[in-house]
Amino acid sequence: MAFFKSATREVPEIRVAPRHIAIIMDGNGRWAKKRFLPRVAGHVKGVETVREVVRACIEQGVEYLTLFAFSSENWRRPAEEISLLMQLFVSALEQEVRKLQKNGVRLKVIGDLSRFDAQLQTMIRDAETATADNTRLTLTIAANYGGRWDILQAMNRLAQEQPEKIGQWTETELEPWLATHFAPEPDLFIRTGGEERVSNFLLWQLAYTEFYFTETLWPEFDAEAMKSAIASYQRRERRFGRTSEQVMEGKA
Ligand code: IPE
Ligand code: IPE
Ligand code: MG
């Protein structure tokens, strides 16, 4: 199992390009509404944005891209919309896996998959296996994912593995059980669609991530918009608890 630096236990090395970008893809419904289209038309267009953003990440040297596709709270939506979203997920898997393979993209899906139907679960596992050796970009889709679920499932698994240490676990022991154990912590978090909230996304993992919010609706987010987000990231000073002077000394 690969081990990545934790922002709370050591100061990670900072690169010019963000290594890991995590995105809440929001605003599909509003994009459709503006055009007098059904909400699902926004989701269909949103899949095109995913393709473009994956391409842009590869070009910019981003190594990990994590996309929030369906939250544990999205089950509260109308049954018809949920069912259309599931169909879209299935068809995207059917159509895209070969392309991901060709472009060196490793696919991962995180979340409580037990609530999906058996066919979809098998497709997900097959797609992950087929792309497992690719190294250019790791594309993670968060589906039926919740940050609270993630922390809890990690704790429950740790309790099974190390019952003798209950009450004495450390961050280092918990992290390998998080759903994102195969990726470093995100450098940049983007939320499109104008809302400024985290909506139960990667609660543990975002501890020192830089946040970027944009009014742009997800179906209109493109390579140019991605560049602006990365440029904003590059203007930040990531201090990880230190003073600005200490950061400057470290660079000198
Ligand atoms: C994000 O777009 C996609 C999912 C949550 C699946 P929304 O469907 O939330 O779009 P808005 O927020 O209603 O515009
Ligand atoms: C968050 O979007 C989840 C995804 C993008 C999958 P929502 O649009 O569902 O978020 P809230 O509920 O408005 O915060
Ligand atoms: Mg929304």
Side-chain angles (χ1 to χ4, degrees), residues 96-107:
E96 305 298 325
V97 174
R98 214 171 323 131
K99 273 182 258 168
L100 294 178
Q101 194 68 294
K102 210 174 89 199
N103 292 307
V105 179
R106 168 169 74 145
L107 181 76

Side-chain angles (χ1 to χ4, degrees), residues 18 20-26 53 57 62 65-68 186-198 201-202 206 209-216 218 221-233 236:
H20 182 177
I21 299 181
I23 307 182
I24 298 190
M25 312 182 283
D26 199 13
V53 164
C57 282
V62 174
L65 173 66
T66 301
L67 302 175
F68 205 5
D187 299 297
L188 173 62
F189 160 94
I190 299 173
R191 182 168 187 150
T192 63
E195 305 314 339
E196 301 190 349
R197 54 178 175 250
V198 74
F201 197 25
L202 305 161
L206 294 174
T209 302
E210 295 295 329
F211 281 43
Y212 179 85
F213 296 99
T214 171
E215 292 290 329
T216 306
W218 179 250
F221 194 82
D222 56 11
E224 217 33 60
M226 189 66 162
K227 276 193 191 144
S228 303
I230 293 178
S232 164
Y233 169 81
R236 316 275 178 99

Side-chain angles (χ1 to χ4, degrees), residues 1-4 19-20 63-66 106-111 125 128 138-142 150 175-185 202 205:
M1 192 177 282
F3 287 102
F4 295 102
R19 188 177 184 200
H20 182 177
E63 292 174 28
Y64 297 84
L65 173 66
T66 301
R106 168 169 74 145
L107 181 76
K108 292 277 195 184
V109 180
I110 57 169
R125 294 302 167 218
E128 286 183 327
T138 297
L139 170 64
T140 303
I141 305 294
D150 194 2
E175 277 165 2
W177 300 100
L178 290 172
T180 54
H181 62 84
F182 53 83
E185 293 172 9
L202 305 161
Q205 297 85 341

